[in-house]
Amino acid sequence: MSRLQLKNVSKRWGSFVGVDNFDLDIADQEFLVLLGPSGCGKSTTMRMIAGLESVTEGEIWLGEKMVNKLDPKDRDISMVFQSYGLYPNLTVYENIRFPLRVRKVPKEQHREMVMKAIEMVELEEFMDRRPAELSGGQRQRVALGRAIVRKPTVFLMDEPLSNLDAKLRVSTRAQIKNLQSKLKVTTVYVTHDQIEAMTLAERVVVMNSGRIQQVGTPTDIYNDPANTFVASFIGSPAMNLVEGKLQDGLFKGPGIRVEGLPKHASGNVTLGFRAEDAEIVPSGGQIAAPMYSIELLGEASMITWRIGAGLVSVKTNKDYRAEIGDVVEARIPAEICHLFDTASGERIKT
């Protein structure tokens, strides 16, 4: 049983709060992603789980055991770092074998355990090479093999793909997802890349300034962001956010006017909508303004306007043609819109 619980966990250094009252129950075999910008507390949270940072307040439970006071080696947790952390003088085989030697696993078991790990990360033909002879993606697979060889109860992965190029990121991401489904081990994965989070996670924890902003499935977080921070952090492009006033179901902002919104809210609100949910129209749109830019994305084109102090984007078909400065209109149906309180940033329930 590898259920992981963090009960009101905080980490402080003097007056600085790195993690504030982190409370979460991570299910056995769940793939959970901690997502947020640099400095949001996600890596500190992971390091507290691993035992590399002490807990200022709260409790961390692994199964039926509180592990706050246990040394890292006694927590039965494997961690994969951004920097790989391989021994340059050891072969792939010996790097993956190393945790077994440290934990004094009987030598007669090593070969079978190491070879099974090597096969899982598809490194059979590289097992006699040293790290300097490997590509970045192969080194990351060695680090993964070393983490899985002793069958821990929890995997921790701290930005494992950030040193890889875009193509390798995609293939290694798929391999991590496939490995976790085969191993069925509780996994906590840290990243600032929302695409990684959306493609890998069963649940995502969005963090900012040491606090949890929202917890949910990738679909929940994408479709129903809890506040403007989550809305602006999730999605490529991020959700369009326009400040304005709402009265009797009519939203008015700079260069935008949307009718048919809920009438129970009023005053200063922020209107949000996704680029793919609106559409370019020849006339009668809720936006009609000079086009700021047009970008071909391959499968679509992205039209952008400057609305007030910010930019607003809408996706359209890849064959769309217009010149910068041309007046282009967009239809924004009320049913695709999200409303947020401008002062607090919190979502207004509709």
Side-chain angles (χ1 to χ4, degrees), residues 122 137-138 141 144 161 164-178 200:
E122 301 173 10
Q138 290 161 349
R141 281 189 276 158
L144 287 169
L161 307 185
L164 304 182
D165 62 37
K167 185 177 179 181
L168 270 176
R169 265 202 215 83
V170 173
S171 59
T172 309
R173 191 171 70 213
Q175 188 165 41
I176 288 173
K177 183 78 170 180
N178 182 265
L200 286 171

Side-chain angles (χ1 to χ4, degrees), residues 109-239:
Q109 299 177 23
H110 287 196
R111 180 77 182 175
E112 182 182 354
M113 295 174 74
V114 173
M115 289 308 299
K116 189 172 289 187
I118 284 175
E119 288 169 15
M120 292 193 80
V121 294
E122 301 173 10
L123 286 171
E124 297 96 316
E125 62 182 293
F126 304 102
M127 59 187 282
D128 295 321
R129 295 191 187 182
R130 287 176 170 76
E133 303 171 89
L134 303 175
S135 69
Q138 290 161 349
R139 291 179 200 174
Q140 190 55 272
R141 281 189 276 158
V142 177
L144 287 169
R146 188 177 57 190
I148 68 178
V149 71
R150 61 182 184 81
K151 300 178 182 176
T153 55
V154 174
F155 279 141
L156 303 178
M157 299 188 182
D158 191 6
E159 307 248 16
L161 307 185
S162 58
N163 288 340
L164 304 182
D165 62 37
K167 185 177 179 181
L168 270 176
R169 265 202 215 83
V170 173
S171 59
T172 309
R173 191 171 70 213
Q175 188 165 41
I176 288 173
K177 183 78 170 180
N178 182 265
L179 268 175
Q180 199 269 348
S181 69
K182 288 179 179 176
L183 293 167
K184 301 188 185 306
V185 175
T186 306
T187 301
V188 180
Y189 185 107
V190 161
T191 185
H192 64 273
D193 186 324
Q194 54 98 12
I195 294 176
E196 282 180 32
M198 299 292 282
T199 54
L200 286 171
E202 292 175 60
R203 280 195 304 161
V204 179
V205 179
V206 184
M207 297 182 68
N208 189 38
S209 301
R211 295 186 176 186
I212 294 175
Q213 301 295 308
Q214 187 172 0
V215 181
T217 67
T219 301
D220 290 341
I221 286 176
Y222 188 83
N223 289 337
D224 298 303
N227 53 45
T228 51
F229 174 80
V230 176
S232 64
F233 198 78
I234 298 291
S236 182
M239 181 177 285

Side-chain angles (χ1 to χ4, degrees), residues 335-350:
E335 58 268 22
I336 71 162
C337 294
H338 305 258
L339 295 174
F340 304 91
D341 181 273
T342 299
S344 68
E346 294 300 307
R347 182 184 181 87
I348 298 171
K349 297 191 184 302
T350 56

Side-chain angles (χ1 to χ4, degrees), residues 6 27 39 48 139 147 197 248-249 259 315 324 334:
L6 287 85
M48 287 191 289
R139 291 179 200 174
D248 294 327
E259 299 180 79
K315 284 185 179 179
I324 290 176

